[in-house]
Amino acid sequence: MHKIDIELVEMTMDVMKYAINRISETNPKIGKPKKEEELRALVGETITEKGIGGEFAFNLWKEHLMKANVPIDHPRHLAFVPASPTRASIMFDLVTSVSSIHGAYWMEGAGGIFCENEAMKWIVSLTGMPEGAFGVFTSGGTAANLSAIVTAREYWRSLDEQNKVEKGLIITSIGAHSSVKSMAKVVDADVLFVETEDKMYADALQSKIDGLTPNQRKRLFAVVGTGGTTNAGIIDDLDGIATICEKESLWFHIDAAYGGGALAADSVRHLFNGVEKADSITIDPHKWMFSPYDCGAVIYKQPELAKKAHAQEGAYLDIFKDEGAHGFNPTDYQIQLTRRVRGLPLWFSLAMHGTDRYKEAVERGLELAQIAGRLIEENPNVELVRTPSLSCVLYRRIGWKPEDYTHWTYENHKKGFALVTPTKWKNGDTFETVSRFCFINPDTTEKDIEMILDSMK
Ligand SMILES: *Cc1c(COP(=O)(O)O)cnc(C)c1O
């Protein structure tokens, strides 16, 4: 047995106090970045031969370093895709850490993986995918998209010897997330775009396919649709696209990293019709399912195809495939080997609160987008660029140039008031700089939105 270190136990108390403060905080500050040399001047050298001591290092964190971060769950953080992990999930993230679980194989992580799978069952049930469909938690949407694309590509290559020497081709729309293009690069596949940032319709996809050269058509193996674009919350015509993929024998991947949480909301569920026909789906619990970073998920209609693509072989790994372990090995279904049981905080929070609370919290995000839409229409300085979609609202400050938006963003950030960033939206042939809200946090209030709009005077 190793000796109990009193200093460490005392430090643990300090850390718990910090965690309690964080979890019970009602008025968090929006931190702002500092230059590296400024941070260096504040904290000095921290990695030394003898160590600077836990208490000292922790104080540096609390006094200086933490303040240079933006807590993603601030109610006036409406930029990018914010987050809002439940208190219960944050708390259990600590438990996940102290439990030291290896989440790759059932043999070592059965208890944790069991819990992850319980949470996954709920997520899969939201999609309405057929019996047998299942998924795993990944580090995020990027890793989930990559895992799905690799599975699709390997499946396609298994169909025909000739495919093994061809470079694959994917079709998606320009509204798709940057990670789709990026991950296609990783698997060395080409990407063609249906030229719309708005909803991708089946007709447009069909004409894109019909316009391919014979060589391109031979190389085409997958279509990626989006279930809630990151920029504007737009959901592609999933049902129509599924029909085409079926007819053309193409893998249909749906990227619902951001929008997937809205599958829980009765008011918008119909917009996702056809999602159940996908071959694979990406959903990020760390976006709209209130999980702490990092937690993505990839779900497959036929998980055995993912296993064919991803299961790692290795002399020292053979024991894990032993029948004695009888279980589900998360490593077999995505790109990572060693992994945190990152679905565990979600499981605890779902178990504690029940799924109805999740529905309500997502509905509140949708409602906040409607409220923002109304406030924008009532305010003479601003106007909607398009009707709010899911929880994304694009609007313009009448008369503002791109640099006015940038200046306004930095001013609000500097004051610790809000983080709202501009984006671009296609207006005819040009891209217009506009402002954007993305609501995730159910604690954001109407008053918060009013104050932000007022700051645009
Ligand atoms: C955020 C997002 C991603 C990337 O997910 P990460 O978790 O940041 O890796 C992919 N696709 C969509 C649609 C997203 O909104």
Side-chain angles (χ1 to χ4, degrees), residues 81 139-143 145 177 179 226 228 230 255-258 284 286-287:
V81 178
S139 63
T142 303
N145 283 339
H177 188 262
S179 63
T226 308
T230 320
D255 182 2
Y258 151 63
D284 265 357
H286 70 203
K287 282 181 174 164

Side-chain angles (χ1 to χ4, degrees), residues 58-317:
F58 192 36
N59 275 332
L60 293 180
W61 172 257
K62 286 187 287 194
E63 285 307 308
H64 304 298
L65 298 168
M66 180 53 201
K67 291 177 183 164
N69 300 304
V70 176
I72 45 161
D73 50 4
H74 190 286
R76 286 189 300 278
H77 178 345
L78 306 175
F80 320 113
V81 178
S84 176
T86 64
R87 304 295 195 265
S89 66
I90 294 172
M91 202 165 76
F92 221 71
D93 207 36
L94 298 174
V95 175
T96 304
S97 286
V98 295
S99 302
S100 298
I101 300 164
H102 193 293
Y105 292 102
W106 188 263
M107 182 181 177
E108 284 187 288
I113 297 165
F114 174 86
C115 296
E116 283 195 312
N117 289 353
E118 291 293 289
M120 183 58 72
K121 261 194 245 164
W122 174 66
I123 298 177
V124 175
S125 78
L126 296 176
T127 67
M129 283 171 107
E131 187 79 27
F134 208 61
V136 279
F137 293 100
T138 64
S139 63
T142 303
N145 283 339
L146 176 58
S147 299
I149 292 172
V150 169
T151 302
R153 200 265 321 267
E154 290 302 290
Y155 173 65
W156 169 70
R157 288 204 162 147
S158 76
L159 295 176
D160 184 340
E161 278 301 309
Q162 186 56 30
N163 294 349
K164 296 204 168 75
V165 294
E166 295 283 3
K167 185 172 182 178
L169 174 70
I170 296 169
I171 294 182
T172 190
S173 83
I174 56 173
H177 188 262
S178 51
S179 63
V180 172
K181 223 178 357 175
S182 220
M183 293 307 103
K185 233 187 268 174
V186 173
V187 307
D188 193 29
D190 289 324
V191 183
L192 287 179
F193 295 94
V194 171
E195 286 296 322
T196 180
E197 200 187 340
D198 231 303
K199 187 172 177 137
M200 174 161 63
Y201 283 100
D203 296 359
L205 173 64
Q206 188 66 59
S207 17
K208 193 82 199 173
I209 295 174
D210 293 345
L212 298 178
T213 65
N215 173 267
Q216 285 175 324
R217 180 62 194 87
K218 218 169 59 190
R219 296 192 294 118
L220 178 66
F221 69 96
V223 172
V224 179
T226 308
T229 62
T230 320
N231 204 18
I234 296 161
I235 301 160
D236 287 338
D237 171 17
L238 303 180
D239 204 48
I241 296 171
T243 305
I244 292 178
C245 288
E246 166 97 61
K247 178 166 74 74
E248 302 273 349
S249 301
L250 297 169
W251 186 280
F252 182 26
H253 176 66
I254 297 177
D255 182 2
Y258 151 63
L263 291 167
D266 297 336
S267 66
V268 293
R269 179 58 182 80
H270 62 281
L271 301 175
F272 291 88
N273 282 349
V275 66
E276 70 284 358
K277 296 177 184 160
D279 292 291
S280 53
I281 305 176
T282 289
I283 296 177
D284 265 357
H286 70 203
K287 282 181 174 164
W288 218 351
M289 284 182 179
F290 315 104
S291 282
Y293 292 151
D294 42 21
C295 186
V298 57
I299 303 165
Y300 303 96
K301 181 160 79 189
Q302 295 176 275
E304 63 276 20
L305 297 180
K307 197 168 175 177
K308 283 203 179 107
H310 291 289
Q312 296 192 23
E313 303 288 336
Y316 82 101
L317 297 177

